[in-house]
Amino acid sequence: MPFKPLVTAGIENVLNAFLYRAPALKAARQRLNGKVLRIVLKEFSTPLVLVFSERQLDVLGEWEGEADCSVITHMSVLPKLRDRQQLTALIRSGELEVEGDIQVVQNFVALSDLAEFDPAELLAPFIGDIAAEGIGKAIHGGTAFLRKSFQRQQRYAAEVMTEEWRMAPGPLEVAWFAEETAAVERAVDALSKRLEKLEGK
């Protein structure tokens, strides 16, 4: 399945917010200036292409030029790339294939590692402040149970999105996105309430 413009725009906004907002990350960003990183996720038919410039990162679903570096992996491996110490292990295990200049992916992983991702800030525009704060607490809580609950919600949302995108005609994408966001908000709200009960114990 190809990446939709709505998805690439969303990823681009999130990455720019966290990687290009902080002045302290300027030196780390400079190492990627002018580079092109192609990410091939085995679950999708088209790659994601990250084009780095001095002021922003562009995320494209189509790119005809050459990439400085290509990585091939599964979607489930992406969260592990926030920890630069895992990069070598992922390559050795075959979970991550790298073609071209490995330094590009190393610099991207280092930049992601330095950036302070706040899950609540990331989710708030889509699901509301209260639900986002509940998810933020769950992530920061760090217990195995909370992690598994959140991962189940992520898997469910990913499966629903994949199935719906396969079936929905183009003109209905925006309406579908609004409905799915409301459904995810309800699911997250229910999860937040369960987590609050557990924290109360």
Side-chain angles (χ1 to χ4, degrees), residues 1-2 4-6 160-180:
M1 138 180 151
K4 310 280 184 176
L6 192 65
V160 169
M161 288 191 329
T162 302
E163 189 57 34
E164 289 294 327
W165 265 323
R166 211 175 274 138
M167 295 166 57
L172 297 178
E173 283 182 51
V174 175
W176 171 84
F177 184 78
E179 289 168 10
E180 285 303 305

Side-chain angles (χ1 to χ4, degrees), residues 1-72:
M1 138 180 151
F3 282 101
K4 310 280 184 176
L6 192 65
V7 177
T8 54
I11 294 168
E12 182 176 295
N13 288 339
V14 167
L15 290 177
N16 275 303
F18 288 105
L19 303 180
Y20 279 77
R21 181 180 53 187
L25 299 177
K26 187 174 180 182
R29 287 194 300 264
Q30 281 300 122
R31 290 193 284 271
L32 286 164
N33 194 9
K35 300 294 183 184
V36 177
L37 174 61
R38 187 169 167 264
I39 300 172
V40 179
L41 297 172
K42 292 179 179 176
E43 292 85 354
F44 296 90
S45 60
T46 56
L48 268 179
V49 179
L50 310 184
V51 182
F52 298 89
S53 64
E54 192 173 338
R55 295 208 174 120
Q56 70 176 39
L57 166 64
D58 293 308
V59 179
L60 309 171
E62 292 180 31
W63 177 259
E64 294 191 12
E66 286 290 316
D68 296 288
C69 178
S70 293
V71 294
I72 303 160

Side-chain angles (χ1 to χ4, degrees), residues 119-136 181-182 184-186 188-189 192:
E121 193 175 332
L122 177 65
L123 294 169
F126 302 103
I127 63 172
D129 291 334
I130 296 168
E133 192 58 38
I135 286 290
T181 301
V184 171
E185 183 175 0
R186 288 192 295 274
V188 169
D189 191 47
S192 297

